[in-house]
Amino acid sequence: MRALYGTDYDVEDEITVTAGATQAIFTAIAAFVRAGDEVVVLEPVYDSYVPAIETLGGRAVFASLRFPDYRPDWDQVRSLLGPRTRMIIINSPHNPTGSLLRGDDLDRLAELTRGSDIVVLADEVYEHIVFDGRQHASVAAHGELAARSIVVSSFGKTYHITGWKVGYVLAARELMAEFRKVHQFNVFTVNAPCQYGIAEYMQDASRHLGLARFYQAKREFFREQLAASRFELLPCHGTYFQLARYAAISDLPDGEFACWLTREAGVAAIPVSVFRHDGADDRVVRFCFAKRFCFAKQEATLAAAGERLRRL
Ligand SMILES: Cc1ncc(COP(=O)(O)O)c(C=O)c1O
């Protein structure tokens, strides 16, 4: 964290290893959100946040990332804040859209939350998967926001070990003390053998610092495969997800199109409407160009998908 973002988190009091980002997110919400509290999320939204908020008695309040570049509208976020707002959840690089928050987005968020006791939950699990020379704008590097934020990351994403379920959170001492009141009783500690293994593996920083180049090559390859297809590819600035519009191929709603694509072309995609509470449909699907369970997808697999998708 110091090398990347210039931020010192105290090893004893400000860093907690978690059973993956999923537990970190649930625990953070449990630590701060009480019945009737509101949590602002930005749609399309990664699918674990809203069930966690609702299970804990909170109410999700939905802002929109604007189609087609999926940028936040901070004026809209501002209009949704009120006395019950307890938390804002952000995610960058963003699943499912591959969009990034920029430094000026963090400045706006800092301004919106200034003087309040709103906690920011920053899901940064794809922090090392950012393309085209762009920089990940970490909340951890933003002095003002870092003080009110829980930053979540995942070794599952960084080291292709999804099933190991090991991640971590970073937060200022006072926030971390609250986080740990819940972590203590829903996890206690994360399995030690995996922690030792990861601790040793991460000594070689080139393994995570080389990730962007590795995934960018996959993105390029997949995009080249689809260049001659009738899919319209949206920009992908980070993550391993590629969004595509399919209006030239079909006028089906995205869920039906994804089923059709799986059955007829043998290529699975996720309809983006499932990441929205009201199912609003931009007729866009999400392809994953890099991961198959814990393994990176082979070029041959991407080429076979490309060949099938070009026929549509
Ligand atoms: C945005 C985002 N947050 C959190 C997670 C969960 O990460 P983990 O596997 O470490 O629980 C994922 C996994 O897909 C994700 O895409």
Side-chain angles (χ1 to χ4, degrees):
M1 295 305 291
R2 191 184 304 132
L4 286 170
Y5 308 125
T7 315
D8 270 312
Y9 283 95
D10 183 83
V11 173
E12 294 301 328
D13 297 328
E14 300 184 319
I15 304 176
T16 301
V17 175
T18 60
T22 309
Q23 179 246 315
I25 291 162
F26 193 94
T27 300
I29 296 170
F32 293 100
V33 174
R34 298 286 167 267
D37 285 348
E38 293 179 353
V39 180
V40 176
V41 297
L42 290 87
E43 288 189 308
V45 58
Y46 177 63
D47 56 10
S48 84
Y49 310 157
V50 174
I53 295 163
E54 292 179 348
T55 301
L56 293 158
R59 196 169 81 80
V61 177
F62 298 93
S64 299
L65 296 169
R66 281 173 313 209
F67 183 78
D69 59 358
Y70 297 103
R71 302 271 317 131
D73 175 347
W74 294 113
D75 290 332
Q76 186 200 17
V77 172
R78 182 197 294 277
S79 74
L80 298 173
L81 303 183
R84 301 302 315 248
T85 311
R86 192 74 194 95
M87 180 179 271
I88 300 176
I89 306 183
I90 55 173
N91 169 215
S92 179
H94 185 253
N95 179 4
T97 68
S99 64
L100 303 179
L101 294 178
R102 303 182 306 224
D104 57 326
D105 290 311
L106 301 188
D107 290 341
R108 284 300 307 278
L109 183 57
E111 180 198 318
L112 292 188
T113 50
R114 199 168 289 150
S116 75
D117 60 2
I118 295 171
V119 172
V120 172
L121 179 55
D123 179 343
E124 301 189 2
V125 298
Y126 298 105
E127 66 185 310
H128 297 298
I129 312 179
V130 173
F131 305 135
D132 307 320
R134 289 182 164 80
Q135 297 295 313
H136 168 55
S138 177
V139 161
H142 192 287
E144 184 180 350
L145 265 190
R148 64 166 71 250
S149 298
I150 311 264
V151 181
V152 176
S153 210
S154 168
F155 291 114
K157 305 296 173 215
T158 301
Y159 295 138
H160 305 295
I161 48 170
T162 310
W164 288 32
K165 301 310 300 177
V166 187
Y168 54 95
V169 299
L170 308 148
R173 184 169 276 107
E174 304 73 30
L175 296 181
M176 188 59 87
E178 297 306 309
F179 180 92
R180 287 185 180 174
K181 287 178 188 170
V182 180
H183 182 79
Q184 171 79 3
F185 296 111
N186 72 353
V187 176
F188 193 75
T189 187
V190 175
N191 74 84
C194 287
Q195 292 197 55
Y196 279 113
I198 291 167
E200 190 166 319
Y201 191 76
M202 71 189 297
Q203 296 306 318
D204 178 355
S206 69
R207 290 180 173 134
H208 47 271
L209 299 181
L211 213 59
R213 205 169 356 102
F214 173 81
Y215 280 119
Q216 187 167 320
K218 298 238 178 257
R219 182 198 65 168
E220 290 313 294
F221 186 79
F222 186 60
R223 287 179 70 97
E224 279 161 21
Q225 292 299 312
L226 292 196
S229 76
R230 293 197 291 159
F231 285 95
E232 182 196 332
L233 301 180
L234 297 182
C236 165
H237 300 306
T239 75
Y240 33 66
F241 303 116
Q242 174 63 59
L243 295 192
R245 300 175 83 171
Y246 56 85
I249 299 170
S250 165
D251 55 11
L252 286 174
D254 67 356
E256 286 177 39
F257 179 73
C259 289
W260 176 84
L261 194 64
T262 308
R263 291 204 184 96
E264 297 302 319
V267 179
I270 307 286
V272 171
S273 67
V274 302
F275 297 96
R276 292 184 195 275
H277 77 292
D278 57 3
D281 182 0
D282 297 326
R283 311 276 162 134
V284 174
V285 290
R286 188 198 77 177
F287 292 105
C288 175
F289 56 78
K291 246 179 133 117
R292 185 174 170 274
F293 305 113
C294 284
F295 305 102
K297 262 179 196 149
Q298 301 299 319
E299 281 203 352
T301 310
L302 297 175
E307 203 259 314
R308 292 171 189 200
L309 296 172
R310 283 194 302 274
R311 272 194 247 129
L312 301 174

